[in-house]
Amino acid sequence: MGRNEVFLFDFGVIVLWNFTAEEEQLYLSILKPFATNPRHASEAEIEDFHFQYDFSRPNQPRIYNDMITLKSGNPMIKLTISHGIAQSAKLTYFENTMEHEIVETSVLPKMMAKYGEVKLTRDDVLKIVGRLFKLRMNVNLVSNVLDTPEIFWSEPELQGLYNAIRGYLEISQRVKLLNNRTGVVSDLLDMLSDHLHVSQQSLMTRIVIFLIVITCIVASAEVYVKFLLDKATGHFV
């Protein structure tokens, strides 16, 4: 029971049991060469829990005040708990990313209200649109990660523990809040898309006006030149 145990999840989260901080870093350094699209260490989300064994009563495993109490060394129990923790860590990453983007772009609606336009270059607006669109797509994809894993449908005795872990970590409430914030991002995307459309129309209008002015100038120049030529030859009326 004192052995180290590791659970790797295909959505980019690893849960380690009974590791010291030094052992964690060593293990992660071993895994790093095999990672795809690894996050910078400063972007990593870390959730710490303590655990203990208590064989005094045949109760179910429980978690309270971030202390996990186990009643056996069954690896399926640890897998169940690890799944909930991994989902929570993934959710935390997107919560923080969403919060950062909302704060970064909160000036845009204020700018629209004050000036009637977004005072940014078209390239800057397109970059913001790209970032927000990517974030919205990732949130939609992570919603699938946060669904109940199939293993708990085939192992119903574990589903109660899994639901309890999700309840303790408030995953369902946090997912709902994240989806609400995704709605804010969608509204902002619509506003920026409309701004780009209006800006494009405005640019096209200016180009058309410019071409009309150039055409008038050329036509006037032609008339004037013809007038001078006729005057020089004495053929004007």
Side-chain angles (χ1 to χ4, degrees):
M1 290 182 189
R3 66 180 183 273
N4 296 349
E5 292 176 281
V6 178
F7 297 92
L8 293 166
F9 297 91
D10 60 3
F11 47 87
V13 180
I14 179 172
V15 180
L16 304 103
W17 291 74
N18 204 37
F19 278 68
T20 65
E22 292 76 15
E23 289 172 335
E24 285 181 5
Q25 293 304 314
L26 176 60
Y27 191 80
L28 292 175
S29 67
I30 295 172
L31 288 180
K32 189 174 181 179
F34 306 99
T36 56
N37 300 320
R39 302 289 178 187
H40 190 271
S42 62
E43 298 179 315
E45 298 296 338
I46 300 174
E47 299 197 14
D48 290 315
F49 294 86
H50 301 283
F51 77 97
Q52 63 181 0
Y53 290 97
D54 181 5
F55 305 109
S56 60
R57 287 171 291 181
N59 295 332
Q60 292 294 320
R62 62 184 295 235
I63 180 171
Y64 181 73
N65 284 343
D66 290 352
M67 171 63 78
I68 301 168
T69 301
L70 301 171
K71 298 296 181 177
S72 72
N74 185 349
M76 292 302 293
I77 297 293
K78 288 184 177 178
L79 171 61
T80 303
I81 296 171
S82 296
H83 222 301
I85 293 173
Q87 289 176 321
S88 176
K90 191 70 172 182
L91 183 56
T92 299
Y93 171 76
F94 282 105
E95 287 171 332
N96 291 339
T97 303
M98 181 71 74
E99 179 69 22
H100 174 75
E101 287 296 343
I102 288 177
V103 170
E104 285 288 306
T105 56
S106 62
V107 68
L108 299 182
K110 298 176 184 177
M111 198 180 292
M112 284 288 289
K114 185 174 182 180
Y115 303 109
E117 63 178 349
V118 176
K119 290 187 173 295
L120 295 173
T121 66
R122 179 178 175 83
D123 286 346
D124 288 338
V125 173
L126 285 173
K127 287 176 183 178
I128 294 172
V129 168
R131 267 200 342 258
L132 294 177
F133 186 73
K134 180 182 178 183
L135 176 59
R136 188 172 67 178
M137 284 184 58
N138 287 338
V139 169
N140 290 336
L141 290 174
V142 81
S143 296
N144 297 328
V145 172
L146 300 175
D147 288 340
T148 300
E150 291 183 6
I151 186 174
F152 299 125
W153 297 113
S154 59
E155 300 284 346
E157 67 276 7
L158 298 175
Q159 189 164 1
L161 174 60
Y162 172 71
N163 290 336
I165 295 297
R166 282 178 61 95
Y168 175 80
L169 297 171
E170 299 181 331
I171 288 179
S172 297
Q173 299 94 311
R174 290 162 60 195
V175 168
K176 184 177 180 180
L177 180 59
L178 185 63
N179 287 332
N180 290 339
R181 291 191 166 191
T182 303
V184 174
V185 169
S186 295
D187 292 341
L188 187 56
L189 273 172
D190 290 340
M191 184 196 79
L192 292 174
S193 297
D194 291 342
H195 170 71
L196 287 174
H197 181 66
V198 171
S199 297
Q200 183 69 17
Q201 284 187 327
S202 177
L203 177 61
M204 292 301 296
T205 300
R206 289 197 295 269
I207 291 174
V208 169
I209 293 173
F210 176 75
L211 291 176
I212 291 173
V213 170
I214 293 297
T215 302
C216 292
I217 292 173
V218 170
S220 299
E222 288 178 350
V223 171
Y224 182 69
V225 169
K226 187 174 183 303
F227 171 77
L228 292 178
L229 290 174
D230 289 344
K231 182 177 179 181
T233 58
H235 294 154
F236 69 96
V237 180

